[in-house]
Amino acid sequence: SFIRPIQSFIKVGFKTYAVHQSEFNAAMSYTLRNAITGTYPSHSIDYTKAMVSRGSLALPLNIQKLNNDGEIAVSWLDNSGTANALDTDFAMLLAYNANKEEALYDMTKACRGDEGTSITYPSNWVGDTVHIYLAFVSEDGTLVSDSVYVGSETIE
């Protein structure tokens, strides 16, 4: 239920780890090994341990969740020129609604050099808990970063 609504995101985020398997299966395998808690039949996902992207691209510094009305927003400090980070790397922002098992994401709205991005959530998400992840992909799509769990919030 967690990976299914983010399959397009996973195709980018797990492409370097999809060796002899699909990106979906690589993400599922990671989630089962690292983010499932509880015992049968009461399993649940520890969203803080889930990853929606895995790779070697450098992450920016000081990633933070912002409080913006009507939006899920994050900011970071641009670290272009450090390791393999470029200011043209695209930010991949994902918001997963655990209550509705739905997701919103954008993978091309902002670049590392923009130092922030946001997604407008639908009005029917009010009252729901949302888990927020951020990752980066190089402009040519060959490198991706590990994802970072930015936090959760209840939409008001």
Side-chain angles (χ1 to χ4, degrees):
S1 63
F2 172 62
I3 296 172
R4 193 170 302 115
I6 61 173
Q7 285 187 57
S8 296
F9 196 99
I10 292 293
K11 280 189 182 214
V12 175
F14 269 81
K15 70 179 167 189
T16 59
Y17 278 83
V19 179
H20 305 296
Q21 62 183 330
S22 70
E23 294 88 352
F24 180 89
N25 286 344
M28 180 68 77
S29 177
Y30 180 88
T31 302
L32 290 172
R33 279 194 318 261
N34 299 287
I36 300 297
T37 62
T39 55
Y40 179 82
S42 298
H43 291 105
S44 62
I45 295 177
D46 182 343
Y47 294 102
T48 65
K49 293 181 181 175
M51 293 187 80
V52 295
S53 179
R54 293 196 68 201
S56 62
L57 183 61
L59 284 165
L61 306 172
N62 199 29
I63 298 168
Q64 295 182 40
K65 179 173 63 81
L66 304 175
N67 294 322
N68 286 5
D69 286 341
E71 292 183 322
I72 294 160
V74 297
S75 68
W76 58 83
L77 294 178
D78 182 7
N79 63 334
S80 299
T82 304
N84 55 2
L86 298 174
D87 66 347
T88 56
D89 296 334
F90 288 111
M92 299 169 49
L93 178 62
L94 182 140
Y96 177 75
N97 183 324
N99 300 84
K100 291 187 172 38
E101 297 180 352
E102 298 174 348
L104 294 173
Y105 51 87
D106 190 289
M107 298 186 288
T108 59
K109 179 179 178 182
C111 293
R112 185 183 301 265
D114 295 331
E115 296 193 330
T117 191
S118 63
I119 297 175
T120 303
Y121 56 81
S123 59
N124 70 336
W125 280 24
V126 172
D128 294 344
T129 299
V130 187
H131 299 278
I132 304 160
Y133 299 87
L134 182 69
F136 284 80
V137 61
S138 60
E139 186 176 25
D140 66 3
T142 59
L143 296 172
V144 295
S145 72
D146 282 350
S147 59
V148 171
Y149 180 77
V150 182
S152 66
E153 68 179 72
T154 301
I155 304 297
E156 296 180 2

